[in-house]
Amino acid sequence: PYTTLFRSDSMRAALYIRVSTEEQARHGLSLVDQRESLLAYAADNSMEVVGVYEDAGISARKPYRQRPALLRLLADCNGGKIDTILFVKLDRWFRNVAGYYAVQEELDRCHVTWQATREDYETRTASGRLKVNIMLSVAQDEADRTSERIKAINESKRLKGQPTTWRTPIGICVKNRHYAIDEETADAARDMFRAYIKLQSILALRRHMATEWGIKRSYNKYKDALGNRLYLGEAFGVENALPALVDQETFDLAGRILERRSQRNASADRIYLFSGILRCRECGRNMQPETVKQVYKYYRCRTHMLDPADCPHILRIREDVLEDYLLREFEGIAEKYYSKSKTAEKKPPKTAEQIKRKMQKLKELYLSDLIEIEEYKKDYTELKQQLVVINPEPIKEFDLETLRRELKEYPNLDQQAKKEFWVRTIQRIDADNDGAFFVTPS
């Protein structure tokens, strides 16, 4: 959610913030650090902040259509609400050159520019656009050369049946840069094949492996493992690259069952409208989509599926039922949500100054050697978190007419476009075990 933080007659700026999972703890790149830096830049340059768009835990190498906040940002650019986009560094925006040019083409049509506030990159001027193009071309050339070297090295390893990554399936490990049997999980791997042949269901296999071996893997990881020829001792077509863990007959039988079940579901539409945004209210995890009888789409709590003792949510959510509910109620939900957020936003924080004074006093105590560094860091972090809580994130300007128009056009969209609409307009949906939905708009 976001709102206008600064008012002026000058440029309308949108703030884009992104942090990938591995960068969460990196100094200067946290979501809070980026937000504070961009707000300060906008204030110093008398810009009107009309939106804060936050992609948390998402790599810049991912296709831009898999970045929900970026999709909302582009939609608002197309709606004529934004003049320029601010982000702290160019790598917060894009590292994928093809994706960059696709988005840049759309921004050019909307006459929207951007600025990297901590680097000398921008698209407001001709020289700035030229510099960006040169930089991206050089970066792409370096990336291509590096990729070619890595490909050559990996191809050499494959020809020898050697691993090109440390990731291995259950029962296999890497020792001295060669594949080997992992004695600690070898029995579990053999049992995985036996259990799948007996159960003929990956969901049932997941429950079995969690109960019998304490191993929890995703549906796709088990599916990939059952077809992995490393278990036959073959690596990249090289036989006897390691001792076989299962015999050929067992491997082939599991493969036939897997293929038969895949063919049965091949005609089902595999685009799920609410995957990634529908969560279990009891445990907080994303709900797992599934297709039943090649017609009905359901969502189930994946925690409960893996171990019913971990979550009591037994109810299955039908996709068409949830879709009908949102088409009826979402306009009112969004209007009420933003109206309530605006009212709350107008209330000034009562304790912000008190917390700031405590932070200053704490700093003085530390500088006077009256408290240790560990105590200072602990208390200062707690006070800073309290300050973030009473200074809520900015609230989005709600455009009711645009939402009404999009909901009216919704029935004419294809399945992929419908999914993109919900991802763009809804931050999350929490479903409880009683069948109630709690919707948080984006």
Side-chain angles (χ1 to χ4, degrees), residues 168-407:
T168 56
I170 300 168
I172 308 293
C173 64
V174 175
K175 291 182 179 179
N176 299 322
R177 300 184 180 181
H178 288 78
Y179 286 116
I181 300 297
D182 181 6
E183 298 300 338
E184 293 184 2
T185 59
D187 289 339
R190 296 186 185 99
D191 186 53
M192 175 181 69
F193 279 89
R194 289 193 295 265
Y196 180 69
I197 290 171
K198 177 181 178 181
L199 300 169
Q200 300 195 14
S201 166
I202 292 181
L203 292 177
L205 174 64
R206 290 180 68 196
R207 289 191 290 268
H208 171 84
M209 296 298 289
T211 302
E212 297 298 323
W213 300 96
I215 296 175
K216 296 182 179 181
R217 296 288 188 275
S218 69
Y219 180 99
N220 287 333
K221 283 190 176 181
Y222 277 118
K223 184 177 179 181
D224 292 341
L226 290 166
N228 196 323
R229 298 187 67 84
L230 282 173
Y231 290 116
L232 294 175
E234 178 183 319
F236 308 115
V238 178
E239 297 181 356
N240 301 318
L242 70 159
L245 198 58
V246 299
D247 59 73
Q248 186 75 51
E249 183 179 358
T250 300
F251 184 87
D252 290 343
L253 179 54
R256 287 196 297 272
I257 296 171
L258 195 64
E259 183 179 4
R260 185 170 66 246
R261 293 184 64 84
S262 297
Q263 288 175 348
R264 191 182 71 179
N265 295 325
S267 61
D269 186 354
R270 309 308 279 180
I271 297 176
Y272 297 97
L273 299 179
F274 308 108
S275 61
I277 60 175
L278 180 60
R279 304 185 188 184
C280 169
R281 188 171 175 83
E282 275 69 32
C283 69
R285 294 193 64 186
N286 288 342
M287 300 192 76
Q288 176 76 42
E290 62 179 359
T291 299
V292 178
K293 296 181 180 179
Q294 300 185 16
V295 176
Y296 300 106
K297 294 179 182 177
Y298 288 89
Y299 297 83
R300 300 172 61 189
C301 173
R302 63 177 63 184
T303 304
H304 180 84
M305 291 164 60
L306 195 57
D307 189 349
D310 289 343
C311 181
H313 193 132
I314 194 172
L315 189 68
R316 293 195 304 178
I317 308 299
R318 264 183 61 165
E319 183 177 273
D320 57 342
V321 172
L322 176 55
E323 184 181 22
D324 289 343
Y325 169 79
L326 290 173
L327 290 174
R328 290 194 315 270
E329 305 293 339
F330 185 59
E331 179 183 327
I333 291 172
E335 188 173 15
K336 182 178 180 180
Y337 174 82
Y338 290 119
S339 175
K340 183 178 179 180
S341 299
K342 277 293 186 182
T343 302
E345 183 195 30
K346 294 177 181 178
K347 298 179 181 179
K350 298 179 180 180
T351 59
E353 291 303 320
Q354 296 175 5
I355 292 176
K356 289 180 180 178
R357 286 197 293 270
K358 287 183 179 180
M359 293 170 74
Q360 181 60 35
K361 185 176 181 180
L362 186 67
K363 183 177 180 180
E364 292 172 356
L365 290 172
Y366 169 65
L367 293 175
S368 301
D369 290 328
L370 296 176
I371 58 174
E372 298 295 328
I373 181 65
E374 291 78 11
E375 183 180 357
Y376 167 74
K377 287 182 178 180
K378 178 178 178 294
D379 293 344
Y380 189 87
T381 300
E382 290 179 356
L383 290 171
K384 191 172 183 179
Q385 290 174 345
Q386 293 176 26
L387 195 60
V388 171
V389 170
I390 64 171
N391 287 281
E393 291 191 8
I395 308 303
K396 180 180 180 180
E397 293 286 356
F398 178 50
D399 188 342
L400 179 60
E401 291 304 317
T402 297
L403 179 61
R404 285 174 176 168
R405 184 176 65 254
E406 291 180 333
L407 287 171

